[in-house]
Amino acid sequence: MTTPAVSALVANSISLIRREQHPSGSYPACPSYPTYRYCWFRDGSFIADAMSRAGEVASAEAFFGWCTRVLTTRSDRIAALAGAGPGSPRVYLPTRYELDGGESVTPWANFQVDGYGTWLRVLVDHCARHRRPVAPYSAALNLTVDYLNAVGTLPCYDWWEEFPEQRHTSTLAAVSSGLKAALSSEALTSDRRGAAVATSGEIDRLVAADTRRHGRLGKWLGSDVADGSLLACLTSYGTLAVDDPVAERTVAAIRDSLVREGVYRYAGDTFYGGGEWINLTAWLGWYEVLRGDSSNARRRLDWIASQADGGLLPEQVTGRAQRPEHIAHWERTWGAVATPLLWSHAMFLTLATACR
Ligand code: BGC
């Protein structure tokens, strides 16, 4: 049974995302938090996915149009990367853009690959879901495949913009999922198919070999640490079937170390003290829906709705932060926890849609 609080927050989330979408089609990560007044491929893709699932076709397609412009205006850079030999200088694409698609001059942990894989997955799923043509995005889809083939298995910053020396499981899963989405689309040109199969196959082998060592997915290759982002491997990216024993052990490890009412990113997180993240809580609920555990999924939905203040969701809630002594430092540095975080609203919408 959907509660009035959940219904109200669903309506509010859709109107907030619509209202904050920039005329260019980009979504700001958080309009009221200076560090997040930019568009990330990661956040933006999950926001577009939620809007697509909620039937907001025009909003999702405006975002895909923005991605297309961002990528096609950088085709020379992608071509140079794709042709770069070992040791040649590499100018990677950023993770965070100005809302008009320009590049921010503020330094950032910019080499993150997951968002480019995620946008391909979300784009292809959207076109199939709503029977929409993929042709308007075909040049960008092909360029993204070139980019992922060139850089998709390199170490890079993770979802949380940390640990750039590692190869992160959820990042690799995003790349493989995006390449498989492209392979399932008639828009992918035949000369790119071999490389896309090779890169996604290499990733799948790397991840499978790693899980054989630990019995479950880990934060990065060689690690047995749990991370909330791994929930996307079992839902958004489809890396494993939800009832695969490896998936079950991964979720068991997340439940053991990261779940209170909401879900922590990873043990020992100090960002705003390392609180419970709204988006990850929705991901856990989504996994539970797929396992047929609708009562726990609804509990997550209700808990998220109870965290909204005036209809707005934060990035994380810090009442049970793991390291509360770090909260003041971040408040002084970047301000109060980012609210409203559009990615939180998006994942709430995705969970609410899955619970219907
Ligand atoms: C998170 C990223 C996110 C960004 C914008 C960062 O604090 O670690 O995952 O993309 O905020 O929401």
Side-chain angles (χ1 to χ4, degrees), residues 21-342:
Q21 185 165 25
H22 188 263
S24 65
S26 66
Y27 299 111
C30 174
S32 57
Y33 183 88
T35 318
Y36 289 0
R37 276 191 209 126
Y38 297 89
C39 185
W40 272 251
F41 259 70
R42 174 177 45 253
D43 298 43
S45 298
F46 285 122
I47 297 164
D49 187 52
M51 292 300 264
S52 170
R53 289 169 192 273
E56 297 288 321
V57 172
S59 172
E61 292 184 355
F63 175 73
F64 300 145
W66 179 85
C67 296
T68 298
R69 287 187 297 280
V70 163
L71 288 152
T72 52
T73 51
R74 286 166 180 78
S75 58
D76 290 353
R77 207 198 294 185
I78 295 172
L81 272 167
S88 8
R90 291 171 160 255
V91 186
Y92 302 120
L93 298 178
T95 193
R96 189 184 84 154
Y97 291 85
E98 298 284 353
L99 298 179
D100 65 4
E103 260 163 75
S104 159
V105 290
T106 330
W108 198 251
N110 257 322
F111 183 42
Q112 305 175 24
V113 182
D114 61 279
Y116 295 95
T118 305
W119 108 271
L120 284 186
R121 164 54 61 200
V122 161
L123 167 72
V124 171
D125 286 356
H126 166 84
C127 293
R129 180 181 300 121
H130 294 290
R131 297 200 171 81
R132 300 286 293 161
V134 81
Y137 318 105
S138 133
L141 177 145
N142 281 290
L143 284 167
T144 309
V145 167
D146 290 345
Y147 185 62
L148 294 178
N149 282 331
V151 307
T153 57
L154 299 177
C156 68
Y157 287 95
D158 65 3
W159 268 36
W160 315 128
E161 320 201 292
E162 296 175 331
F163 305 108
E165 64 289 353
Q166 303 295 347
R167 290 189 291 173
H168 300 274
T169 308
S170 46
T171 298
L172 292 169
V175 173
S176 178
S177 179
L179 289 172
K180 285 176 189 147
L183 280 161
S184 74
S185 160
E186 76 271 13
L188 183 65
T189 59
S190 52
D191 55 329
R192 289 177 167 90
R193 290 184 173 264
V197 167
T199 307
S200 62
E202 182 189 349
I203 290 176
D204 295 351
R205 277 189 300 280
L206 284 170
V207 172
D210 202 59
T211 53
R212 272 197 294 281
R213 272 196 292 278
H214 305 295
R216 56 186 160 80
L217 302 175
K219 188 168 167 63
W220 58 69
L221 297 183
S223 156
D224 64 352
V225 169
D227 190 287
S229 67
L230 295 171
L231 291 163
C233 303
L234 318 177
T235 49
S236 315
Y237 301 143
T239 316
L240 295 170
V242 286
D243 58 353
D244 185 311
V246 174
E248 288 175 343
R249 285 193 290 269
T250 302
V251 175
I254 289 172
R255 285 210 173 95
D256 281 352
S257 56
L258 303 180
V259 180
R260 298 290 299 261
E261 285 289 322
V263 180
Y264 295 132
R265 297 195 300 181
Y266 58 91
D269 184 10
T270 58
F271 185 51
Y272 287 91
E276 294 156 274
W277 280 54
I278 300 293
N279 56 5
L280 294 178
T281 310
W283 251 296
L284 179 58
W286 185 8
Y287 175 79
E288 287 162 344
V289 173
L290 297 176
R291 292 308 311 265
D293 181 4
S294 57
S295 77
N296 266 319
R298 288 201 171 272
R299 195 156 66 81
R300 313 280 172 218
L301 202 58
D302 292 339
W303 181 79
I304 294 173
S306 73
Q307 303 309 310
D309 186 1
L312 305 180
L313 287 170
E315 177 180 64
Q316 59 171 306
V317 293
T318 56
R320 285 184 291 255
Q322 304 174 62
R323 306 281 299 278
E325 68 279 14
H326 289 269
I327 296 174
H329 161 77
W330 285 106
E331 287 177 344
R332 277 194 309 273
T333 309
W334 284 354
V337 170
T339 310
L341 190 85
L342 269 53

